Amino acid sequence: DATIEVRGLRKRYGPTVAVDDLSFTVGPGRVTGFVGPNGAGKSTTMRMIMGLDRPDGGTALVGGKPYRSLRTPLCRLGAMLDAAALHPARRARDHLLWLAHAGGIPARRVDTVIELTGLTGAARRRAGGFSLGMRQRLGIAAALLGDPPVLMFDEPVNGLDPEGITWIRGLLRSLAAEGRAVLVSSHLMSELEGGADHLVVIGRGRLIADTGVGELLDAA
Ligand code: ADP
Ligand code: ADP
């Protein structure tokens, strides 16, 4: 249930090969770092996992099913792909209430995720005044609404201060410790140090390495 399986995924944008025969599995109970330079194809892969982009070939399964076939998608996969999709005039808590309502999720989950993401003091403020770090927290809160077994975050530490980075690391760790599958992307290997248990490294859309962090350190 708590898995993402990517098999032979391919995507081109005109002449650009964004994802090229990519296969990997994101397993339960660990944080999998998805690493590669800017333009390597991480976001495109994540968008295809969520059915936001149609692959030219291959499959992406969430808990064994294509995302688009899930009847309760927010309860199967939570994702933060873009922290910017917020209405500036909407208060943080109302934003989450609206998402919960649209996703058929009980409103009581809203206060749970507000607490989990440390947004209690900001819940009644308008999102327009939020710092990047606060917007990231709100995006993560939205991803956690459905209490999903699979989580996916695209560059969640971008623009965060060291305190925010430490906080996200701890949160991802505790989500994995609960048995969830967690995929987190970064263009910097150093950002995932001490945060990820497993690494999937890509370059130009192709798999470069798929390895446990322990095995990688043993080899070095
Ligand atoms: P990453 O997330 O690793 O930075 P992306 O998946 O965003 O990489 O991009 C992979 C490649 O696909 C890049 O060359 C990028 O310019 C290209 N690309 C991504 N999205 C589009 C799009 N909508 N239209 C055209 N090219 C795109
Ligand atoms: P699917 O058919 O999309 O695979 P299901 O309808 O079988 O999904 O439900 C998947 C999981 O989501 C179940 O474990 C269920 O308990 C949980 N779930 C369904 N609806 C809600 C909800 N409104 N709030 C929280 N969890 C829910």
Side-chain angles (χ1 to χ4, degrees), residues 28-173:
R30 64 192 192 196
V31 177
T32 299
F34 193 22
V35 196
N38 285 325
K42 305 180 296 295
S43 300
T44 301
T45 301
M46 288 175 146
R47 290 175 55 80
M48 289 194 285
I49 291 168
M50 283 195 81
L52 295 171
D53 231 333
R54 176 189 281 276
D56 295 326
T59 54
L61 304 178
V62 177
K65 296 178 184 175
Y67 181 82
R68 283 177 167 275
S69 78
L70 299 175
R71 280 186 294 120
T72 55
L74 295 184
C75 304
R76 310 311 299 260
L77 171 77
M80 182 181 70
L81 301 191
D82 184 357
L86 285 172
H87 196 293
R90 195 174 271 157
R91 297 174 202 279
R93 189 167 179 280
D94 293 338
H95 175 74
L96 294 169
L97 277 170
W98 181 81
L99 288 176
H101 179 73
I105 291 164
R108 64 182 141 75
R109 278 290 298 167
V110 167
D111 293 312
T112 305
V113 301
I114 284 172
E115 205 176 308
L116 271 172
T117 52
L119 283 171
T120 307
R124 286 167 206 285
R125 284 202 250 138
R126 296 182 199 279
F130 277 20
S131 66
L132 178 58
M134 303 269 277
R135 294 209 306 275
Q136 305 274 54
R137 282 176 195 254
L138 189 50
I140 292 169
L144 295 174
L145 267 180
D147 200 10
V150 181
L151 290 153
M152 204 162 69
F153 302 109
D154 197 4
E155 303 267 0
V157 311
N158 254 4
L160 292 196
D161 57 14
E163 195 185 326
I165 294 175
T166 304
W167 172 77
I168 285 193
R169 244 178 226 169
L171 179 73
L172 299 187
R173 283 230 154 280

Side-chain angles (χ1 to χ4, degrees), residues 6-24 34 39-49 53-60 200 202-207:
V6 169
R7 291 289 165 262
L9 216 51
R10 295 173 183 278
K11 181 71 185 179
R12 308 178 67 116
Y13 295 106
T16 306
V17 179
V19 175
D20 191 3
D21 195 18
L22 187 63
S23 301
F24 63 88
F34 193 22
K42 305 180 296 295
S43 300
T44 301
T45 301
M46 288 175 146
R47 290 175 55 80
M48 289 194 285
I49 291 168
D53 231 333
R54 176 189 281 276
D56 295 326
T59 54
V200 171
I202 67 167
R204 295 171 188 269
R206 287 180 159 264
L207 188 73

